[in-house]
Structure formats: structure tokens, C-alpha cells
Amino acid sequence: MLPGKPKSKHRSGCPVSISLEAFGDRWSLLIIRDLMVRGYRTFKEFEQSGEGIATNILADRLRNLQASGIITTEADPVDRRKRNYRLTEKGIDLAPVLLELLVWGARHEDTGAPCATIEELAKNREAVLAEVRRRWRDRDATPFLPPFQNRGGGGESR
Amino acid sequence: MLPGKPKSKHRSGCPVSISLEAFGDRWSLLIIRDLMVRGYRTFKEFEQSGEGIATNILADRLRNLQASGIITTEADPVDRRKRNYRLTEKGIDLAPVLLELLVWGARHEDTGAPCATIEELAKNREAVLAEVRRRWRDRDATPFLPPFQNRGGGGESR
């Protein structure tokens, strides 16, 4: 147990269950993805991320992620009056979960991700995770992965 | 892309987003966990798994997981009139996602999982995943992990 872990009431003592209480919905992990691999930092960027999240849902999910200690806000380096969202260390530690979701989805569903790219990521798991973490530490907002084009025809990917 | 991957409409082409459409809620991954590491196979077992899922929600989630090709049903080996749930190959391929969720939750939240046990699992990632897959292939229902006791005081873990 890391120092500062919250003590609280959960539906069970299982770590999987408790993790899902923090981000087990259809949107939270997409916000985490946008922060982690697309270099997004603002409400507007999340809103326009191409998945069609409603403004009130986005605001609610950001609030929950902040309450769970997964994201935080900090002053924009250029305009100090503006606040940007940023993953905490607890948040960036979700990188392996995201990577496994990406690999699973690309293998089993008809996605816009080129399979060769994804298999490459899966093969270089440790290097990929180290680079994602480096960008987070250095506040390097260069996107690690581009948004994938939609292959199914529904929705849009910007 | 594996043969037989469904072509369909999604909110975006991102594999993470598409994965979350299949099981991005607070319950589906718990059902997958129960099948994968607890050896549960019946509606009654899922219902009594200690997380307090409502019967109608459970029925709905099982239907969705089956429609997504993550679980299937098969005749009980003893009583052929009974149907048991079983993970498909697509379902067992979620083992790495579950393992990462388990590790993350145990590190960052106050759970009932002994940290030493979890760090051991994290260190032996490949062996753990191979053993989980072997039990699935051999229909070996011996629980891989015990239900973790609740540490926070709320809910119950049976």
C-alpha cells in the first residue's frame, strides 16, 4: 500500500471492483487516454475529441477523476490564469491498463487502428510504457498516438 | 485483424473506445473476473459474488457480453439440461486488462488484497497469464484468486 492511499467504503475489497468504481464507465478511460497519448489538456479538447461526449457528462467525469486523485489541474505555463488538466502519478500508472485495452480492441474488433502498429506496441510493451511516462514527466504534449480513423462508418474521429 | 471480427458502427475508430463499448461499465469486468479467476459459471454464482449486483442488471450485462462475443453458454457436464456461462477466446484475451486493473487497484486504493500477493502477480505476469489461460482451456474451475476481504467496512465479500 502506497502512502496516502485513501481508506473508504467500497462494494467489496477486490482491487478490480474498487478500480472500476473510480473509472468504470464508458467515458473516463477515454479522458485518461486523451491526456495520456494525445496530449490534450483542456475541457474544450476533451469535448472535441471525436467521441461525442455531452458537456455535462464530461464535467461530471472530470470531477470524479479529480476526486479519485487520477487527474489534477495546474496553471497553463503560458497563460497563468488558465487551468490545464494533468494526470497525477496515480493516473499515469493506468498506462498498462490502457495499453492492454488498446491491444485487445485492435485484435478483436473492427477498429481504425492498423494491426501492425498495435502488434508493434504490444511487442515493445516496456519501452512504450516508459516513453508514455517520460512524456508525462516532461510535460511533453506531443501526441504518442494519432486519433484512429473510423472504419465502421458511424461517429467520427477528429 | 482476426477472422470473424465484426464490422459495425462505433462512436470512433479507437480500439480503446470500442473496447469500452463492450464492457465499459461498473459490472461487466466483474462478471469477467468471476469467470476468469473464481471459477464461477452460473447466474446464481455471479449474483452472490458479493458486489451486490441487481438481478436485472446482471441479466442485461450477461446478454451484452454474449452479444459482444466475450462469453458464451454451454451444457453443464453433469446435468446436460443446465447451461453454464463460459468465456470465449475473445473473453479470456481480456486477462491482461484484468491483471493490470488488479495491480493498479491494489497499489493505489485501500483494498482487501495483500500487496505482497499482488506484487508477486505483477512480477510473474507472463506465468500468471499462462496459468489463467490453461485453466480456461482445461475448464479447470479451481479459483485462481480468493475473493478479497473488504477492508473499508462497507459492502461484503463472500
Side-chain angles (χ1 to χ4, degrees):
Chain A
M1 173 165 156
L2 295 180
K5 283 211 303 189
K7 282 206 178 289
S8 55
K9 294 202 166 200
H10 296 297
R11 53 186 173 181
S12 89
C14 172
V16 174
S17 174
I18 292 168
S19 300
L20 293 174
E21 287 175 19
F23 54 77
D25 65 79
R26 294 158 72 95
W27 297 108
S28 295
L29 276 169
L30 295 186
I31 297 169
I32 295 167
R33 172 204 65 186
D34 286 346
L35 282 159
M36 201 179 285
V37 301
R38 294 193 177 167
Y40 291 0
R41 287 176 299 197
T42 66
F43 192 93
K44 204 181 172 74
E45 285 171 323
F46 300 134
E47 204 178 5
Q48 298 178 343
S49 132
E51 313 275 354
I53 189 169
T55 307
N56 60 327
I57 304 273
L58 174 58
D60 176 74
R61 294 306 182 271
L62 287 168
R63 239 189 332 266
N64 287 348
L65 288 172
Q66 209 166 343
S68 302
I70 291 171
I71 65 174
T72 184
T73 62
E74 62 180 12
D76 185 273
V78 176
D79 179 352
R80 307 288 301 174
R81 290 162 308 176
K82 277 173 52 188
R83 307 289 298 173
N84 289 333
Y85 290 98
R86 174 171 163 78
L87 290 169
T88 60
E89 178 128 36
K90 180 175 175 179
I92 197 70
D93 275 358
L94 281 167
V97 175
L98 260 289
L99 179 59
E100 297 303 341
L101 277 174
L102 182 72
V103 169
W104 183 87
R107 280 186 188 153
H108 287 288
E109 304 284 351
D110 179 39
T111 71
C115 286
T117 309
I118 302 297
E119 292 306 325
E120 203 58 34
L121 293 181
K123 216 163 44 188
N124 300 297
R125 200 172 171 280
E126 292 311 315
V128 166
L129 294 175
E131 174 61 12
V132 165
R133 186 171 286 270
R134 186 201 61 76
R135 288 180 195 216
W136 170 76
R137 206 177 39 235
D138 298 349
R139 291 178 167 70
D140 177 350
T142 324
F144 187 77
L145 288 175
F148 295 110
Q149 290 310 302
N150 192 307
R151 293 252 299 269
E156 52 182 332
S157 192
R158 273 171 281 190
Chain B
M1 173 164 156
L2 295 180
K5 283 211 304 189
K7 282 209 174 288
S8 55
K9 293 202 167 201
H10 296 296
R11 54 185 173 182
S12 88
C14 172
V16 174
S17 175
I18 292 168
S19 300
L20 294 174
E21 286 176 20
F23 54 77
D25 64 80
R26 293 157 72 97
W27 298 108
S28 296
L29 276 168
L30 295 185
I31 296 169
I32 295 167
R33 171 203 66 186
D34 286 346
L35 282 158
M36 201 180 285
V37 300
R38 294 192 176 168
Y40 291 0
R41 287 175 299 197
T42 67
F43 192 92
K44 206 181 171 75
E45 285 172 322
F46 300 133
E47 205 178 4
Q48 297 177 344
S49 132
E51 312 275 355
I53 190 169
T55 306
N56 59 328
I57 304 275
L58 174 57
D60 176 74
R61 294 305 182 272
L62 287 168
R63 238 187 336 264
N64 287 348
L65 288 171
Q66 208 165 343
S68 302
I70 291 171
I71 64 174
T72 184
T73 62
E74 61 180 12
D76 185 274
V78 176
D79 179 351
R80 306 288 301 174
R81 290 163 308 177
K82 277 173 52 185
R83 306 289 298 173
N84 289 335
Y85 290 96
R86 174 170 163 79
L87 290 170
T88 60
E89 176 127 39
K90 181 176 175 178
I92 197 68
D93 275 357
L94 281 167
V97 176
L98 260 291
L99 179 58
E100 297 303 341
L101 277 174
L102 182 72
V103 169
W104 184 87
R107 280 186 187 155
H108 288 287
E109 304 284 350
D110 179 39
T111 72
C115 285
T117 309
I118 302 297
E119 291 305 326
E120 203 58 36
L121 293 181
K123 217 163 42 189
N124 300 296
R125 200 173 171 279
E126 292 311 316
V128 166
L129 294 175
E131 174 60 12
V132 165
R133 185 171 287 269
R134 186 201 63 74
R135 287 180 195 217
W136 169 76
R137 205 177 39 235
D138 299 347
R139 291 179 168 69
D140 177 349
T142 325
F144 186 77
L145 288 175
F148 295 110
Q149 291 310 303
N150 192 306
R151 293 253 298 271
E156 52 182 331
S157 191
R158 274 171 282 193

